Amino acid sequence: MYNPPDYFLVDELLSDEHKIIRSAVRDWVDRSVKPIIDEYAQKHAYPTHLIKEMGEIGAFGPFIPEKYGGAGLDQMSYGLIMTELERGDSAIRSTASVQTSLVMYPIYAFGNEEQRIKYLPKLATGEWVGAYGLTEPNHGSDPGSMLTHFEDKGDHYLLNGSKIWITNSPIADVAMVWAKDEEGIVKGIVVEKGMEGFTAPEIHNKWSLRASYTGELIFDNVKVPRENLLPNIKGLKGPLMCLNSARYGIAWGVIGAAIDCYDTALQYALERKQFGKPIASFQLQQKKLAEMLTEITKAQLLAWRVGVLRNENRATPYQISMAKRNNVEMALKVARESRQILGAMGISGDFPIMRHMMNLESVITYEGTHDIHLLITGQDITGISAFE
Ligand code: TGC
Ligand code: FAD
């Protein structure tokens, strides 16, 4: 039975329900993701057949009320699910992050009852795939300067502009798009596949998240029905509130990628012999392994604590930024160290490390770059914004 590292007995801080949920997702990842994911990453394709299965295991909208197709679970459960998914691959966790935190959450939190009923159940099962459009070609870290905008034409809104680097855009049925109204106020509008003037071309040739589709969202005079505007949010805080949820999920998710690399490296170090001994017996390799486990453990405790605070509705965006930043950097360092422990085998697709390492190069950039999260912390502790 698979037994991931839990050096400080964090499992004792979880409920039986948490462990059952985690175990179900863990089994699914071992059964459905691990055996095929390298092949998909190598051929730069997304295993779309997994989307419905993710709906079945409750990976979409776990904290959304059951009335709308979610599972009504707590934030800790959401985090644990993300860890297991990313142990499989960041692409799989990305789909769940986007669907849950960036599409279902805003529709649930800022939408009206008709919008919730129309979209959420289909997103929860995976019948519909969602995408989230915030980043633009010339406005990434600074989304407040976005150019995508819409005009009120009476019975509809006329949407123009474009978004880039959008997870799942080429296969999305609905896109949660953030755009400015005629007064320059950021609002959320749901754009549906098939609307005239809406296209979502794929971005090819990525070296990272190769088992995920990434693309653009292009709006050329798209007539969006009035009822697709989310009525209960205005301003940049809308998309940023969604990001709080997704960043929180990433702080948990990347622990899964780190654990997969660490486990692989530990096993390899115990089996691989050089100079007549397992390489695990050399102090340099032990140092790497000991430091990796230390960092994984610290990240687990950080994620757990943010989970407690989110359950109590007390986690600040600043705490979430610190957790996302710390844990992604931790995972990337663990991946790099693990890769070295495997020597040449570390670059082979027979092991998951290089794939995780390349994926994490995106994870450290999306949902706010490593620098931006540092500056968010800096702003919190000094009271001075480095962005103005
Ligand atoms: P600023 O003036 O600071 O704030 C504007 C308004 O927003 C409020 N606010 C927040 N509210 C909730 N949560 C947060 N985290 C918030 N941060 C700020 C703020 O109080 C203010 O409210 P109000 O009422 O006064 O208007 O905004 P700014 O323009 O100076 O920008 C701040 C900055 C740089 C921190 C922010 O724009 C930022 O976080 N930039 C990074 C952009 C980013 O993270 N993009 C991610 C795109 S989505 C993505 O990558 C998905 S990948 C998915 C996957 O595949 O997994
Ligand atoms: P830029 O903002 O141009 O930043 C470039 C560099 O400058 C970075 O190192 C940054 O830290 C630094 N920098 C910028 N401003 C400052 C500053 N004030 N001080 C110091 N340094 C600064 N976006 C979505 O909306 N939806 C998605 O689904 C989505 N999925 C993605 C999937 C992938 C695989 C990737 C790679 C990206 C995705 N993104 C998505 C986009 C992602 O959120 C952006 O790439 C990210 O926010 C950074 O924007 P940028 O790439 O334009 O970099």
Side-chain angles (χ1 to χ4, degrees):
M1 199 171 134
Y2 174 65
N3 216 357
D6 180 22
Y7 209 66
F8 268 57
L9 312 182
V10 179
D11 266 16
E12 291 180 8
L13 303 170
L14 305 175
S15 68
D16 287 344
E17 188 187 36
H18 290 144
K19 289 179 210 165
I20 291 166
I21 292 160
R22 183 180 60 186
S23 166
V25 181
R26 183 172 290 170
D27 289 349
W28 178 76
V29 167
D30 285 339
R31 199 173 56 246
S32 296
V33 180
K34 288 221 147 240
I36 58 143
I37 198 66
D38 180 71
E39 184 194 334
Y40 278 86
Q42 296 277 2
K43 66 184 182 194
H44 204 329
Y46 180 55
T48 46
H49 67 279
L50 295 182
I51 294 173
K52 287 260 171 64
E53 292 184 33
M54 288 171 80
E56 282 161 21
I57 61 161
F60 298 149
F63 57 77
I64 299 290
E66 289 176 72
K67 179 180 171 193
Y68 303 111
L73 299 172
D74 70 350
Q75 290 291 322
M76 205 70 81
S77 307
Y78 176 48
L80 291 164
I81 292 170
M82 296 295 119
T83 301
E84 292 309 319
L85 296 180
E86 197 144 2
R87 192 171 61 81
D89 195 272
S90 301
I92 306 301
R93 195 269 308 138
S94 262
T95 292
S97 288
V98 171
Q99 192 96 340
T100 299
S101 290
L102 301 182
V103 182
M104 294 178 74
Y105 165 75
I107 292 171
Y108 171 68
F110 313 135
N112 57 34
E113 197 56 12
E114 290 74 34
Q115 291 167 337
R116 290 171 170 182
I117 288 166
K118 176 176 177 186
Y119 296 111
L120 294 179
K122 288 198 168 81
L123 289 162
T125 57
E127 184 181 341
W128 281 354
V129 175
Y132 177 85
L134 183 63
T135 305
E136 298 189 351
N138 293 319
H139 308 284
S141 297
D142 178 20
S145 299
M146 70 174 69
L147 297 177
T148 301
H149 63 282
F150 61 89
E151 296 162 69
D152 190 339
K153 294 290 184 187
D155 64 336
H156 65 270
Y157 297 110
L158 196 64
L159 180 67
N160 278 288
S162 67
K163 303 285 176 180
I164 198 165
W165 294 113
I166 306 303
T167 297
N168 280 344
S169 82
I171 54 164
D173 300 283
V174 292
M176 179 70 245
V177 177
W178 297 94
K180 285 181 175 166
D181 69 8
E182 283 148 305
E183 292 167 30
I185 299 171
V186 173
K187 294 196 172 152
I189 192 159
V190 183
V191 180
E192 296 172 30
K193 188 175 172 173
M195 285 181 175
E196 208 179 322
F198 171 40
T199 48
E202 188 184 348
I203 296 171
H204 297 282
N205 293 332
K206 293 179 302 180
W207 283 112
S208 175
L209 280 174
R210 288 174 61 82
S212 169
Y213 289 139
T214 312
E216 297 175 61
L217 299 169
I218 298 170
F219 315 109
D220 180 10
N221 285 318
V222 182
K223 287 182 182 174
V224 185
R226 289 188 78 81
E227 60 264 27
N228 285 28
L229 189 76
L230 300 189
N232 301 321
I233 192 70
K234 57 180 184 178
L236 194 59
K237 69 172 184 254
L240 291 172
M241 283 169 73
C242 306
L243 293 179
N244 292 337
S245 178
R247 291 166 176 173
Y248 163 73
I250 288 175
W252 277 95
V254 291
I255 295 170
I259 283 177
D260 203 32
C261 294
Y262 165 81
D263 272 346
T264 306
L266 175 59
Q267 202 55 43
Y268 189 87
L270 290 168
E271 287 169 12
R272 172 76 174 168
K273 287 199 176 114
Q274 287 295 290
F275 301 96
K277 294 192 277 191
I279 58 169
S281 61
F282 300 126
Q283 287 184 8
L284 280 176
Q285 306 312 319
Q286 288 191 6
K287 177 176 187 288
K288 287 193 184 100
L289 291 164
E291 286 180 349
M292 281 193 254
L293 182 57
T294 307
E295 293 308 314
I296 289 170
T297 304
K298 282 152 69 178
Q300 285 171 322
L301 289 164
L302 195 53
W304 174 82
R305 181 62 187 153
V306 187
V308 170
L309 292 174
R310 272 192 66 87
N311 272 346
E312 295 169 357
N313 222 1
R314 290 198 295 142
T316 68
Y318 311 107
Q319 291 165 335
I320 294 168
S321 276
M322 187 185 278
K324 189 266 182 184
R325 183 176 188 276
N326 180 79
N327 288 11
V328 178
E329 185 178 41
M330 174 284 295
L332 197 45
K333 283 183 176 162
V334 166
R336 287 174 182 154
E337 293 284 43
S338 301
R339 202 216 61 70
Q340 290 197 52
I341 289 178
L342 268 70
M345 289 306 279
I347 71 159
S348 164
D350 291 344
F351 295 93
I353 298 175
M354 192 80 177
R355 177 170 46 79
H356 283 308
M357 193 173 108
M358 295 197 299
N359 285 342
L360 290 164
E361 290 292 346
S362 285
V363 183
I364 204 165
T365 287
Y366 68 33
E367 304 272 7
T369 68
H370 203 54
D371 298 329
I372 292 296
H373 287 297
L374 185 87
L375 295 175
I376 289 172
T377 306
Q379 178 178 359
D380 190 38
I381 58 185
T382 64
I384 305 165
S385 168
F387 305 113
E388 286 164 4

